[in-house]
Amino acid sequence: MLVEWGEHALLTAPFFSNPSFPIARPSVLQWLRSGPRITVDSTAIERLLPRSADHASVILVGHGHYDHLLDVPYIATRRAKSAVIFGGPSIRHMLMGDPVLRSNSRRLVAIPLEMAGDATRDGDWHYSADSAFRFIALVAGHAPILTIGNWGYTFAAGAVSTDLDSLPQTAAEWKLGEPYAFLIDVLSDSTRTTVFRIYFEDAPSEPPLGFPSASVLAARNVDLAILCAATSSNVAATPDSLLRVLKPAAVIVTHWESFFRSQLLPQAKSRVTDLRLFSRSLRRSLPPHTGWIVPLPHETVRFRTSDRP
């Protein structure tokens, strides 16, 4: 997601490369071999990433899987060259494998769990360098990609505890790490007060993981919830319970498209996405006046803020 506010911009884990399933499939399906190397599709990035993303001040990464982190080193070193990357400790450890980012490691900020919020504590605010945005990381989870009865399989689970000498080479080496959702405030240019509030998740979580605290929500309503559809049917009461807490004015449903199809081709729905079930949940959990959309990738959606039409 590219969030633009005037001349300011924020990115959430930009990803365009989409390696095919035979390349990205879990190593357990490859008779325990490490798997083939996955690489950045720079052609897709340059054709699809808007030029306005180049002045992004922040890149927020919710977890370390390849479909959230593989393209970040390329974009951070060739396009959004001033953006500071925020995520869990594993995110920083993996990105330290890029020599350009390692040489300017102040651009890699690890948010420890004790600074993140949850349903019972507020968490610490972090600010973009241009003071256009502030955000709280929220302790979250990641739905399993496969469930059989009470058993669930989560791809590339685990954390990275030390800085890497080079970037991960295979899909399975991009570890989940410490999953976060984010509460993002867009700030007024003049008073630095919140004029728009966004809840963002890049993976469904087992409730109440990913929930903000009641006190944070009481201070300002959520204008927009950006929710992940993929694998949401593998977690109970999702997104129903989250929506009842957030009470957003609008919802955008994302991450529903195929992970294994080039974004330069017409889009297809992911096999781990049940959009019909997700839509029923939205209709059941949202007030009738709440708007929600399932946009195609690369579409632009515009919203009014509280200080500007």
Side-chain angles (χ1 to χ4, degrees):
M1 302 297 290
L2 170 62
V3 180
E4 294 186 87
W5 161 242
E7 298 301 315
H8 308 288
L10 174 149
L11 279 166
T12 65
F15 184 74
F16 300 90
S17 293
N18 279 10
S20 65
F21 181 73
I23 294 175
R25 61 184 173 175
S27 59
V28 69
L29 300 182
Q30 298 179 348
W31 308 108
L32 305 180
R33 291 182 297 173
S34 60
R37 178 180 178 179
I38 59 173
T39 57
V40 170
D41 185 347
S42 58
T43 300
I45 293 173
E46 297 302 338
R47 286 181 59 179
L48 299 174
L49 181 64
R51 284 295 156 188
S52 56
D54 293 3
H55 60 257
S57 58
V58 169
I59 299 175
L60 297 181
V61 184
H63 65 274
H65 283 160
Y66 78 90
D67 59 321
H68 296 264
L69 200 54
L70 173 66
D71 287 353
V72 168
Y74 179 97
I75 291 171
T77 58
R78 292 169 175 82
R79 296 289 303 273
K81 297 180 181 179
S82 299
V84 178
I85 303 163
F86 291 82
S90 293
I91 302 295
R92 189 179 193 277
H93 289 316
M94 286 188 282
L95 293 183
M96 284 291 283
D98 181 89
V100 176
L101 293 175
R102 188 189 313 121
S103 67
N104 191 6
S105 59
R106 289 177 297 178
R107 294 183 62 196
L108 302 175
V109 178
I111 302 175
L113 285 171
E114 59 267 22
M115 294 180 67
D118 60 26
T120 62
R121 68 174 189 265
D122 292 355
D124 291 3
W125 288 104
H126 302 267
Y127 289 78
S128 61
D130 57 8
S131 299
F133 306 97
R134 68 174 187 170
F135 45 91
I136 293 174
L138 301 167
V139 178
H142 192 295
I145 64 170
L146 175 67
T147 58
I148 302 175
N150 293 325
W151 174 83
Y153 169 69
T154 300
F155 174 69
V160 179
S161 58
T162 59
D163 293 346
L164 300 186
D165 296 326
S166 60
L167 291 171
Q169 299 296 303
T170 68
E173 290 174 335
W174 292 95
K175 296 297 184 182
L176 171 65
E178 304 79 18
Y180 289 146
F182 291 95
L183 196 67
I184 306 165
D185 281 359
V186 180
L187 303 178
S188 164
D189 289 334
S190 56
T191 62
R192 300 306 178 195
T193 56
T194 301
V195 297
F196 199 79
R197 173 165 284 183
I198 301 169
Y199 175 89
F200 172 80
E201 66 170 15
D202 58 13
S205 295
E206 185 80 35
L209 291 173
F211 286 23
S213 70
S215 57
V216 168
L217 292 176
R220 179 65 157 80
N221 61 292
V222 173
D223 297 287
L224 171 65
I226 301 174
L227 304 181
C228 174
T231 69
S232 61
S233 57
N234 293 338
V235 182
T238 298
D240 304 66
S241 57
L242 175 63
L243 290 170
R244 294 187 188 109
V245 169
L246 296 179
K247 299 180 176 63
V251 173
I252 291 178
V253 181
T254 65
H255 211 6
W256 55 265
E257 70 278 8
S258 174
F259 308 159
F260 309 119
R261 181 178 175 86
S262 170
Q263 292 197 29
L264 298 176
L265 299 173
Q267 295 300 309
K269 186 175 69 68
S270 167
R271 294 184 179 181
V272 295
T273 301
D274 190 335
L275 279 178
R276 186 173 300 178
L277 184 64
F278 201 93
S279 298
R280 285 205 298 265
S281 176
L282 293 174
R283 288 192 293 268
R284 181 172 59 244
S285 304
L286 293 172
H289 64 274
T290 301
W292 57 271
I293 59 171
V294 186
L296 287 168
H298 322 303
E299 284 193 299
T300 298
V301 184
R302 301 185 184 276
F303 295 88
R304 293 186 174 129
T305 62
S306 59
D307 75 338
R308 187 180 300 179

